[in-house]
Each structure stands twice: as C-alpha cells, then as structure tokens.
Amino acid sequence: MTGFVGSGLRAPSRRILLVEDEPSLRLTLGDRLAAEGYAVTAAEDGEQAFELLAAESFDLVVLDVMLPGIDGFEVCREIRRRGLGLPVLMLTARSEVVDKVVGLKLGADDYLTKPFETAELLARIEALLRRGSAPLAESPESYVFGPVRVDFRRAEVRVDDRPVDVSSLELRLLAYFIEHRGEVLGRDRLLDEVWGYDAQPVTRTVDVHVASLRQKIEPNPSHPRYIVTVHRRGYRFDG
Ligand code: CA
C-alpha cells in the first residue's frame, strides 16, 4: 500500500483507490493523480483493495482488470456486494474488449483501454466524480414499474424483490429514463445528460449500457418492454 500526498488543489481532496499490480504504472498514475490534487491510496492486488475498502472511505476506484489472485472483475463484484456505490473505473488491455460487457454486468461505471493518455484518465475520473456527487434531488425517492423497484436514496434496484447489482452509471441512466418517461431520448442527449462528458465519440457506449441495464431489469431482455428502442431515434422508457 502506498500513500501519495496531494498538492491540495482541491479542498477537501477526493479520495481515490488505485488498484494496479504493475509497479511502474502504479507509481506514475499515483504521482499524477496526487499532482492533480487527489488523495491517492494504491493497492497492488485485490486483497489489499478489500482491506483498504473495509478500513477507509473512497470517492472512486481505479481498478485494473488483470491482477494476480483475485481479478478486477471479482473485486468489482465484491465492491457492489458490499453495497458500496462509489464509481468504479476499470482499466483493461486492448485484447479484453469482450470483458467490457462482463464488467458492466458486475457494476463497473466506465472503462479505459490500455495504453491510455493520462489526460483521458483524468477526464473520465472528473466526469465520474461529478456524476457521483450530482444530486438526485429531482428524482423520486423510489419508483416502481412491473416487477422492478428502484430505491434512489439507497441506490438499490430490486426485481421481484431480489436485489440486482447496478452500477452508479446504470442507476443514473435509469433515473434519467424515469424522469423522462414516455419521451424519445436520442443517444447524443443521453451521452450529454447522463455521461456528462463528450470525450467519448461513440454513441455505441449508450447501447452497451442500455443492453446491460435491460439484462438486469427486463423480464425478456431480447424483447424489451420498459426500455424500448425507437428506430433511428434512440430509446423511450415505458415504465
Ligand atoms: Ca495488471
């Protein structure tokens, strides 16, 4: 475990847990994030990450997928199992594209493929933290449709009274759909309003997350009843 001292540009510093087994990347990223004013704690494997998560509170986790022992997916799953709603940004190798869908199902919020520009990582972190701290005040405390109950205050989704793992991004996406139910929502609008940054040019991102959300809440995900595709225009929530 390594602590990095931030330069104090932000007060109070947002706390980031960096889980990365490659020493050079751990050091470089840790230093860079600290230089940006974040309070960074580094873990070199999943075990250390769990210890730290149990002992301290963090605002965000940067999580490498390929770790010795427990891999990043398992770490992410465990974070959600423990009921921690903090944003998780996963780092994957280029060959792990298929892992995106797996990771989203386990509750990750965003992905970055290695190698990446540090500026891109910083932009994603900023966006996730902004989103994480955005008030859900306009949303109702809970909303029920079909077998689905969404409890926004507890950041919890239940289907047939069984809890379902959703990421904070998926919850926000669902909240946005609920707030705008009956409206056709284009992918660009969803990217702007839910993701909050336009660094990612691919609207396919929206489709991937909608598909993941459907897997979790739709009785029949291949024939969605609540999050409906509107041909050439986007999506509409009919809950
Ligand atoms: Ca690794």
Side-chain angles (χ1 to χ4, degrees), residues 6 12 20 23 28 48 53 60 116 132 167 191 193 220 232 236:
E20 169 64 67
T28 324
Q48 274 192 3
L53 284 163
L60 180 136
F116 50 81
S167 67
L191 272 180
E193 300 288 329
N220 180 355
R232 289 173 187 274
R236 189 186 63 232

Side-chain angles (χ1 to χ4, degrees), residues 31-177:
D31 279 343
R32 184 64 202 276
L33 290 170
E36 293 292 321
Y38 295 110
V40 185
T41 303
E44 53 184 63
D45 58 30
E47 294 286 356
Q48 274 192 3
F50 291 146
E51 283 173 27
L52 287 162
L53 284 163
E56 300 171 37
S57 68
F58 294 93
D59 297 301
L60 180 136
V61 181
V62 176
L63 179 60
D64 187 31
V65 168
M66 295 300 290
L67 295 169
I70 313 163
D71 70 16
F73 293 133
E74 208 41 58
V75 174
C76 184
R77 192 207 302 267
E78 183 60 24
I79 286 173
R80 297 306 179 222
R81 198 177 282 149
R82 291 181 185 192
L84 300 171
L86 78 176
V88 175
L89 170 59
M90 297 195 91
L91 307 177
T92 70
R94 197 168 287 285
S95 57
E96 297 162 351
V97 175
V98 67
D99 292 348
K100 282 192 178 189
V101 177
V102 177
L104 290 172
K105 283 184 184 163
L106 298 180
D109 294 278
D110 201 359
Y111 281 85
L112 207 50
T113 306
K114 289 179 176 178
F116 50 81
E117 298 289 332
T118 313
E120 179 66 15
L121 176 69
L122 292 171
R124 302 288 186 96
I125 288 174
E126 293 243 336
L128 285 172
L129 288 173
R130 249 199 330 269
R131 220 160 58 205
S133 59
L136 280 168
E138 296 147 37
S139 309
E141 283 201 351
S142 67
Y143 187 84
V144 178
F145 57 99
V148 184
R149 167 179 282 276
V150 187
D151 186 330
F152 294 106
R153 210 168 31 81
R154 301 178 59 185
E156 189 182 75
V157 177
R158 299 178 85 87
V159 177
D160 291 325
D161 211 32
R162 279 191 299 272
V164 175
D165 284 336
V166 290
S167 67
S168 53
L169 173 60
E170 286 168 345
L171 189 66
R172 198 172 155 82
L173 180 60
L174 189 54
Y176 194 78
F177 275 128

